[in-house]
Amino acid sequence: MSGISGLRLFVPFTAYSVIALKEPSLPGLNALNALLHEKKEPPVAVTEVAATEMILVFSRHRHYRHLVIELVQAARNKTGQLKNPLRVLDPINFIWKAREERELKFFAGLTQYKNSYQDQRSEKDLEALKAILQNPFSLPIYLHEEERSATVNAASLRKVSISTEAPDIEIYVDERPETMEISAIWRIKGKKHLLQDLPVRFQYFIQRGDRLWLIAHWNQLALIDFFRQNQNDLVMGRALYEQFQENVLDLLEKKTKIHYSYLKLASPAQQRELGFDLANEQWIYLTESGDFVLITPVMKYGSVEIPVLSRKQIKVRNKREQYVTLRRDEEKEIQFITAIVKAHPRLMEQVDGFERELSSDCFYLHRTHFLNPEWFLEAFENWREKGILLMGFHQLKNNRLSPYRAQLDIKVASGMDWFETALKLRFNQQTVSLKHLHRSIRQKNRFVLLDDGTLGILPLEWLQKMESYFGAAFLEGEILKTPAISFSKVQQLYEEDHLEESAKEKIRFLQTRLSGMQQIEPIPIPAALQATLRDYQKEGLYWLNFLDELHFGACLADDMGLGKTLQVIAFLLSQRSKVEKNVNLIVVPASLVFNWQQEVTKFAPDLKIHSFYGAERGKDARIFDDYEVVLTSYGTLLSDIGFLKTYRFNYLVLDESQHIKNPESQRYKAARLLQARNRLVLTGTPVENNTHDLYGQLSFACPGLLGTKDEFKRLYAIPIDQFKDSRRAAELRERIRPFILRRTKEQVMAELPEQQETVLYCEMGVYQREVYDRCREEIRAYLLKQAGHELIHSQMQVLQGITRLRQICNSPSLLEKNPANQEESAKIAVLLEQIEMKSANHKLLVFSQFVTMLDLIAPELQKKGIPYVQLTGQTKKRETVVHTFQEDPSIRVFLISLKAGGVGINLTAADYVFLIDPWWNPSVERQAIDRAYRMGQQKKVMAVRLICPDTIEDKMRQIQETKKDLVNELIQEEGDFFKSLTKDDLLKLI
């Protein structure tokens, strides 16, 4: 019967064995310390009081009989003995004087034992008791001996010492012929004591003489109760014992040493038979309890799993159904535990002091600490290196993290125009696709989705490096392709052992070639070129050819008037001998389409050119195969990019490439969609406003050279433009130096004539052309009605009609008070574009015969914030206006009417002269140009005529050429020139 009752009494023990895990913390301690230091009156020093008159008294409540611990102030007699009266102190008054965590816990524990009226033991009380026994002030401890006096007084107190070295309970199981006998003993400092020989005092202590030992584990308290109820000797039949062992002893064995008298050590043969001769595996099982992760170390002996923190013995049946055992490998288990607790300070704390006496077979960490990637990846890796296996990581609630560190393999090889990087990212056996990796890097996310649904964790220090890998390349399948032009970036980004020999050789080759650009080999000037190239223009041709051989794009950034168009035409002619399919697309502002047609016709008449421009353009790409130059405008590029991007050209040439300086613009995005073997941009103003202007143009011409837009902004644009960082500026200059060629007029002045003249053709818009055509038909109809000899009497009417045509070429607004499209003037658009490009570095003169045309230009300059002065016949203080233009560096433009400024003034501050409308007499134009080209002029002067093609202005230049002698020798006035024209001349003119 005793065995059965024992089983029933033992049932509560299994509930007591569950521990509520609590993580140490110090909430509010700093605030309490601050309050202590703010007190104006100095507090009583606890340590001083404790050394002389403060003691701890352990007693039992008179009525409820539970443990009471009191802080008592006692006087002493001359012999040092306590004397009455004893004064009980309230520990709560001392909490505010606590300076350390353990002091705070000490007073809190005393408060709990002073105010508790429960006769039931609890884990909370046990924890409070442990805090009191830390005794931070080393106070003397006294026990109340009720046999001396029912009341607590000096005579009934006995001084004792309390040991925090916990005693162990050991259980002995002895086999009898028919029964099994189970008993328990205390083991203190290696000595055995019968359970009944050491009385339990105050529910939590055992006593021997003047020393108390704290029963520190909840399960030991339950064991004591159990064995005392069974008189410390439990006897049961074998059948009942089997059940008792499984339900009770196996659970007890986690923390209690059990001696089985019948358990024999396995022989070597039995060890081999049972698989104990194999290496012992080490496992860590991860489970959860509330907000904590439980870490249970287990050693596998053959097929038997033993929790390392338990005292469980190895018990297996041999072939004869007899139990045998094997000694646990204590040294290896200690190494196993050491490997775990060294991984985190909070794990180490759990084997210090009272925490060493774990009442569980596991360690624990709060989820926030355990699932910190910086910790667990390193810990897991260290454990795996020691052969420790982990189980249960993915079963943790809301956990999708991969338990493996990232492994990265990089190999960089050389392709034709690329460096090809094979970047393999693995998490154990899971390989990450570069598409998923790129998405994470782009989102600045260190977590990468793996094929099994888990999230691989990238080291923080990899994020910026991988962002640079992807920023310098584009993704093609599972390969990163970095343009060869970024060879210095490849060398900078990747380690030496990442580079295959082919990549190293290519980097050395490109470094050698680009460092020796001064020795660029000349090439033959194409025989089909109908022009003589100046020396600097030959150098431009050689430079373009040099970069072409390396498959690199270029930016030709010569000043206006130095012949960029001519150099490109010569280069495209040279391509005939190098490529099989020499079809090149040239994109220009609409105002320059006609100029390019004229230049190509003039300098390379056999270069087959096709204008993909205007309402009648066809959209059959096959026709491009029959031409060497396809000419189009930026507007057409935008509207027809869906068609143009399907054709692969030899070269893409963007003239006035500042039109794509903004990488966010639609023009830039459309241009980047075009396909070609190589690219070239032309501009006289590579940087108009800030350093960022370079990015759009060079990222088109030389993809990859400047990295990503954000990278360029961070490395160069902001440091240079906002902080004037000279080091960054020098770095950028060196980076772009091989790929941008810029010559100013001053640099090549010796090769330039004193004056240069050029024509800018301004293609009319639809409305302006309609107005012009109507006026032209009216005049033509009038001329056809007149006989040749009658024209002498109609000079005024014809001259007025021709003047109207010239005014319409300037702007329809000069004739119509409220034109249908007041904004439409091809010349004003082209002029403003030129002024914006040139005015930052040059001063400009703008001449027109019509003051009303100047009045249209002036407000447009104001809108754009370009300072100017104006001189007409109405100007009162001519000298002041001229002086302002000459001396004030902020005034960039001078608007001048022909009659007011054609003669008599010196304007040597200017080096560009724009002639808005051509005059009959070239000598008048010459006089205007000579306002800048005067004595004292230190710069070369560029004269630019603005002419609308297929108009009276265009025909006027042809007539001037046919009547050159007459113009030079006889013509003085427009009327005289008009008299020299026949009816046929006039009909051709209009």
Side-chain angles (χ1 to χ4, degrees):
M1 291 296 292
S2 63
I4 296 174
S5 64
L7 277 175
R8 289 175 180 170
L9 287 169
F10 203 83
V11 171
F13 170 76
T14 58
Y16 294 149
S17 66
V18 179
I19 289 182
L21 298 174
K22 297 178 181 177
E23 189 171 38
S25 62
L26 306 177
L29 186 58
N30 292 333
L32 288 174
N33 285 335
L35 288 173
L36 283 171
H37 296 306
E38 284 179 6
K39 289 183 179 289
K40 295 182 179 179
E41 297 181 4
V44 177
V46 176
T47 54
E48 292 178 7
V49 175
T52 58
E53 56 187 13
M54 191 177 292
I55 64 173
L56 292 176
V57 176
F58 285 57
S59 64
R60 290 199 301 174
H61 195 279
R62 180 177 298 180
H63 303 295
Y64 301 105
R65 312 308 290 162
H66 63 268
L67 174 64
V68 176
I69 306 175
E70 294 177 305
L71 191 63
V72 174
Q73 185 176 352
R76 296 183 183 275
N77 58 26
K78 292 181 179 180
T79 62
Q81 300 298 313
L82 296 177
K83 67 178 183 178
N84 295 321
L86 303 180
R87 180 187 171 199
V88 178
L89 304 175
D90 190 348
I92 201 167
N93 294 327
F94 292 92
I95 286 180
W96 306 108
K97 297 179 175 65
R99 301 175 186 276
E100 298 178 5
E101 178 190 2
R102 63 190 192 129
E103 294 176 3
L104 183 65
K105 288 185 174 181
F106 173 75
F107 291 120
L110 285 174
T111 302
Q112 182 170 325
Y113 271 91
K114 177 179 174 59
N115 298 326
S116 176
Y117 294 96
Q118 297 182 1
D119 194 22
Q120 301 262 343
R121 288 179 302 209
S122 70
E123 290 185 69
K124 181 180 178 183
D125 291 335
L126 185 57
E127 292 301 314
L129 188 55
K130 291 178 181 180
I132 294 170
L133 294 180
Q134 290 282 352
N135 199 2
F137 305 106
S138 301
L139 303 180
I141 300 174
Y142 290 83
L143 296 186
H144 174 229
E145 294 186 320
E146 294 178 341
E147 61 272 17
R148 292 187 182 183
S149 173
T151 62
V152 177
N153 56 49
S156 65
L157 295 183
R158 177 184 179 184
K159 189 175 182 179
V160 296
S161 63
I162 297 180
S163 176
T164 57
E165 181 180 352
D168 278 339
I169 293 180
E170 295 183 3
I171 297 175
Y172 284 80
V173 179
D174 293 318
E175 187 178 30
R176 299 288 182 259
E178 300 297 334
T179 61
M180 304 295 289
E181 183 177 329
I182 303 164
S183 60
I185 63 147
W186 285 111
R187 185 178 291 276
I188 301 175
K189 292 188 175 180
K191 294 183 179 181
K192 297 180 182 179
H193 303 272
L194 294 177
L195 218 59
Q196 61 269 26
D197 289 348
L198 298 179
V200 175
R201 295 293 303 271
F202 308 121
Q203 299 176 297
Y204 295 103
F205 298 93
I206 58 174
Q207 182 178 2
R208 187 182 181 197
D210 292 336
R211 180 172 290 273
L212 299 181
W213 283 270
L214 174 67
I215 305 170
H217 293 313
W218 191 251
N219 61 355
Q220 287 184 335
L221 294 171
L223 266 178
I224 292 170
D225 291 342
F226 171 69
F227 278 102
R228 286 190 184 281
Q229 291 171 18
N230 289 277
Q231 290 76 46
N232 198 39
D233 194 7
L234 183 62
V235 179
M236 62 182 67
R238 288 180 177 273
L240 187 58
Y241 171 76
E242 294 288 342
Q243 183 182 358
F244 182 77
Q245 177 180 324
E246 181 179 349
N247 294 332
V248 178
L249 293 181
D250 285 350
L251 292 174
L252 279 176
E253 205 171 7
K254 290 182 178 179
K255 285 300 167 188
T256 304
K257 180 71 173 177
I258 301 179
H259 301 272
Y260 297 95
S261 62
Y262 61 85
L263 198 58
K264 307 300 180 184
L265 193 65
S267 66
Q270 289 174 329
Q271 290 183 31
R272 289 191 296 273
E273 171 194 321
L274 297 170
F276 289 146
D277 58 332
L278 302 176
N280 300 329
E281 295 181 356
Q282 300 172 67
W283 293 70
I284 290 177
Y285 286 94
L286 303 175
T287 53
E288 288 180 287
S289 176
D291 291 332
F292 290 84
V293 177
L294 309 184
I295 304 167
T296 305
V298 170
M299 186 87 86
K300 290 191 72 173
Y301 294 88
S303 60
V304 180
E305 294 187 359
I306 301 295
V308 176
L309 294 180
S310 75
R311 295 184 174 183
K312 187 175 182 180
Q313 297 182 69
I314 302 170
K315 298 189 296 294
V316 291
R317 293 180 186 270
N318 60 20
K319 289 182 177 180
R320 297 186 181 89
E321 292 299 313
Q322 298 172 328
Y323 277 105
V324 294
T325 186
L326 180 73
R327 290 191 181 93
R328 286 168 55 173
D329 190 340
E330 292 186 3
E331 183 178 350
K332 189 170 184 179
E333 288 184 3
I334 290 172
Q335 293 173 350
F336 188 6
I337 293 173
T338 302
I340 293 175
V341 299
K342 278 186 174 181
H344 200 290
R346 295 180 184 270
L347 296 176
M348 185 68 76
E349 290 172 1
Q350 294 170 36
V351 292
D352 291 337
F354 284 119
E355 294 296 336
R356 179 182 180 86
E357 300 153 6
L358 295 167
S359 55
S360 175
D361 58 0
C362 63
F363 297 99
Y364 59 90
L365 276 179
H366 196 278
R367 280 180 63 91
T368 55
H369 295 298
F370 187 90
L371 292 179
N372 176 5
E374 313 310 323
W375 175 77
F376 80 74
L377 287 176
E378 182 177 359
F380 288 8
E381 192 71 21
N382 291 336
W383 292 343
R384 290 191 193 99
E385 288 176 0
K386 292 177 171 59
I388 301 171
L389 304 176
L390 287 113
M391 297 292 290
F393 182 72
H394 286 147
Q395 279 65 55
L396 300 180
K397 183 174 57 179
N398 298 326
N399 173 40
R400 294 174 58 205
L401 302 177
S402 169
Y404 296 98
R405 269 183 169 171
Q407 295 178 300
L408 187 63
D409 294 322
I410 301 175
K411 288 298 178 187
V412 183
S414 172
M416 181 65 179
D417 297 327
W418 312 93
F419 290 95
E420 298 183 351
T421 302
L423 194 152
K424 294 189 181 300
L425 179 66
R426 290 180 294 108
F427 294 86
N428 195 29
Q429 301 302 316
Q430 294 281 322
T431 301
V432 182
S433 73
L434 289 192
K435 179 181 178 182
H436 288 160
L437 177 60
H438 190 200
R439 182 186 301 119
S440 295
I441 296 301
R442 202 168 52 238
Q443 296 171 351
K444 301 187 184 302
N445 182 4
R446 65 182 303 200
F447 300 101
V448 182
L449 182 64
L450 306 182
D451 290 341
D452 63 356
T454 60
L455 296 173
I457 307 168
L458 298 173
L460 288 172
E461 63 271 19
W462 286 15
L463 291 183
Q464 186 172 349
K465 184 175 290 188
M466 287 191 171
E467 185 178 9
S468 299
Y469 292 162
F470 283 100
F474 69 89
L475 185 59
E476 189 173 282
E478 290 300 304
I479 294 293
L480 283 177
K481 300 184 75 172
T482 307
I485 201 169
S486 297
F487 67 92
S488 60
K489 189 74 172 175
V490 170
Q491 192 176 34
Q492 172 190 339
L493 285 177
Y494 297 102
E495 303 293 335
E496 182 75 13
D497 57 356
H498 293 160
L499 304 176
E500 293 187 356
E501 194 56 39
S502 62
K504 294 178 183 177
E505 289 179 2
K506 185 158 192 170
I507 289 173
R508 286 193 293 266
F509 169 75
L510 293 174
Q511 283 177 328
T512 302
R513 290 287 283 153
L514 292 176
S515 64
M517 290 188 66
Q518 294 81 358
Q519 291 79 41
I520 292 177
E521 294 293 327
I523 63 171
I525 306 300
L529 184 68
Q530 302 296 304
T532 301
L533 298 180
R534 298 187 175 98
D535 289 343
Y536 73 86
Q537 292 171 332
K538 292 178 183 177
E539 291 171 2
L541 173 62
Y542 304 157
W543 174 75
L544 289 172
N545 184 73
F546 169 79
L547 290 181
D548 180 68
E549 289 179 347
L550 297 176
H551 306 281
F552 291 163
C555 173
L556 183 57
D558 288 343
D559 262 351
M560 179 186 180
L562 299 191
K564 292 190 292 294
T565 304
L566 177 58
Q567 292 173 72
V568 171
I569 291 172
F571 175 68
L572 295 182
L573 286 172
S574 72
Q575 287 285 292
R576 287 175 168 176
S577 60
K578 297 181 68 174
V579 296
E580 182 178 348
K581 188 178 180 182
N582 187 30
V583 183
N584 307 281
L585 179 68
I586 301 178
V587 185
V588 304
S591 58
L592 297 183
V593 171
F594 194 79
N595 290 68
W596 269 88
Q597 290 174 329
Q598 294 291 95
E599 296 286 281
V600 170
T601 302
K602 177 180 179 181
F603 296 124
D606 69 340
L607 193 63
K608 300 174 183 176
I609 185 171
H610 171 69
S611 289
F612 184 72
Y613 176 71
E616 302 301 322
R617 63 184 182 275
K619 293 188 180 179
D620 184 353
R622 290 175 297 181
I623 65 172
F624 292 168
D625 294 340
D626 298 329
Y627 298 94
E628 292 174 277
V629 171
V630 177
L631 188 63
T632 193
S633 68
Y634 284 102
T636 305
L637 171 66
L638 266 179
S639 60
D640 285 358
I641 186 58
F643 162 66
L644 290 172
K645 71 179 182 180
T646 62
Y647 192 88
R648 182 171 177 80
F649 296 93
N650 176 45
Y651 254 83
L652 297 177
V653 182
L654 303 189
D655 192 15
E656 302 295 354
S657 59
Q658 63 274 11
H659 282 75
I660 64 161
K661 67 182 181 182
N662 179 8
E664 302 301 325
S665 69
Q666 294 302 313
R667 286 190 296 269
Y668 174 85
K669 293 175 181 178
R672 287 299 299 264
L673 294 174
L674 296 170
Q675 299 184 70
R677 184 181 68 83
N678 212 341
R679 301 174 175 197
L680 170 62
V681 296
L682 312 176
T683 178
T685 52
V687 177
E688 289 185 315
N689 301 311
N690 51 53
T691 305
H692 202 265
D693 292 348
L694 276 174
Y695 182 81
Q697 299 172 75
L698 285 182
S699 64
F700 170 82
C702 308
L705 176 64
L706 300 180
T708 65
K709 179 180 61 177
D710 290 339
E711 183 181 34
F712 180 82
K713 183 178 180 181
R714 176 174 56 85
L715 290 179
Y716 300 115
I718 292 177
I720 295 172
D721 295 333
Q722 296 184 19
F723 302 106
K724 313 302 178 188
D725 190 329
S726 57
R727 182 180 65 85
R728 288 292 191 190
E731 182 182 321
L732 178 58
R733 280 196 301 271
E734 185 60 24
R735 193 166 179 177
I736 67 175
R737 178 184 56 80
F739 311 104
I740 185 167
L741 181 61
R742 176 165 176 76
R743 278 82 58 89
T744 63
K745 285 184 177 180
E746 290 72 20
Q747 290 173 308
V748 296
M749 188 174 290
E751 295 187 53
L752 297 178
E754 295 300 321
Q755 294 183 42
Q756 290 179 275
E757 296 184 13
T758 188
V759 174
L760 276 182
Y761 289 95
C762 309
E763 191 74 38
M764 288 181 177
V766 175
Y767 174 74
Q768 189 175 5
R769 174 58 69 179
E770 288 177 354
V771 174
Y772 181 87
D773 288 345
R774 284 200 306 269
C775 184
R776 180 179 62 180
E777 289 304 315
E778 291 176 5
I779 300 173
R780 185 170 180 276
Y782 178 80
L783 286 174
L784 289 174
K785 292 178 182 179
Q786 302 293 318
H789 64 279
E790 295 176 343
L791 283 178
I792 192 65
H793 304 294
S794 306
Q795 290 182 15
M796 186 57 66
Q797 291 91 331
V798 175
L799 184 58
Q800 288 175 348
I802 290 176
T803 300
R804 288 203 308 275
L805 289 179
R806 294 176 61 206
Q807 289 176 314
I808 295 170
C809 288
N810 282 355
S811 173
S813 299
L814 297 183
L815 294 183
E816 305 177 25
K817 292 183 179 179
N818 297 299
N821 192 339
Q822 191 169 357
E823 299 296 323
E824 186 161 320
S825 168
K827 286 191 179 181
I828 291 179
V830 172
L831 176 66
L832 290 174
E833 185 178 75
Q834 291 295 316
I835 290 175
E836 285 188 281
M837 289 191 294
K838 306 293 186 296
S839 59
N841 301 308
H842 304 275
K843 285 202 171 193
L844 304 87
L845 306 181
V846 178
F847 281 96
S848 178
Q849 185 177 1
F850 305 102
V851 174
T852 48
M853 183 61 175
L854 299 179
D855 291 339
L856 292 178
I857 296 170
E860 298 300 323
L861 294 177
Q862 292 173 5
K863 289 179 185 177
K864 295 183 179 295
I866 300 173
Y868 71 96
V869 290
Q870 187 169 344
L871 179 65
T872 69
Q874 304 300 315
T875 304
K876 301 292 185 182
K877 298 180 180 180
R878 289 167 53 93
E879 294 80 4
T880 301
V881 175
V882 171
H883 179 78
T884 299
F885 177 76
Q886 285 286 95
E887 303 299 331
D888 187 344
S890 68
I891 305 300
R892 312 306 295 171
V893 179
F894 200 165
L895 304 179
I896 311 175
S897 67
L898 173 65
K899 290 185 178 180
V903 294
I905 56 175
N906 294 331
L907 299 171
T908 53
D911 58 342
Y912 275 88
V913 179
F914 285 90
L915 306 174
I916 299 295
D917 30 60
W919 292 283
W920 302 112
N921 192 341
S923 63
V924 178
E925 292 181 347
R926 179 60 51 206
Q927 287 178 343
I929 296 170
D930 286 346
R931 297 315 94 211
Y933 182 60
R934 306 283 285 181
M935 185 70 69
Q937 176 62 272
Q938 301 297 314
K939 294 171 281 192
K940 305 292 185 180
V941 176
M942 169 65 74
V944 183
R945 291 179 172 84
L946 302 184
I947 294 205
C948 291
D950 192 25
T951 65
I952 191 171
E953 295 178 335
D954 201 7
K955 302 297 175 60
M956 188 187 306
R957 289 184 58 77
Q958 298 175 21
I959 292 178
Q960 284 179 338
E961 290 297 320
T962 58
K963 295 183 175 287
K964 189 173 182 180
D965 293 339
L966 184 62
V967 168
N968 289 336
E969 296 176 11
L970 302 179
I971 306 300
Q972 299 298 326
E973 300 293 338
E974 287 188 358
D976 294 333
F977 180 52
F978 177 74
K979 291 176 183 178
S980 67
L981 300 178
T982 65
K983 179 178 179 179
D984 289 340
D985 289 336
L986 289 172
L987 287 172
K988 290 177 182 177
L989 185 63
I990 63 173

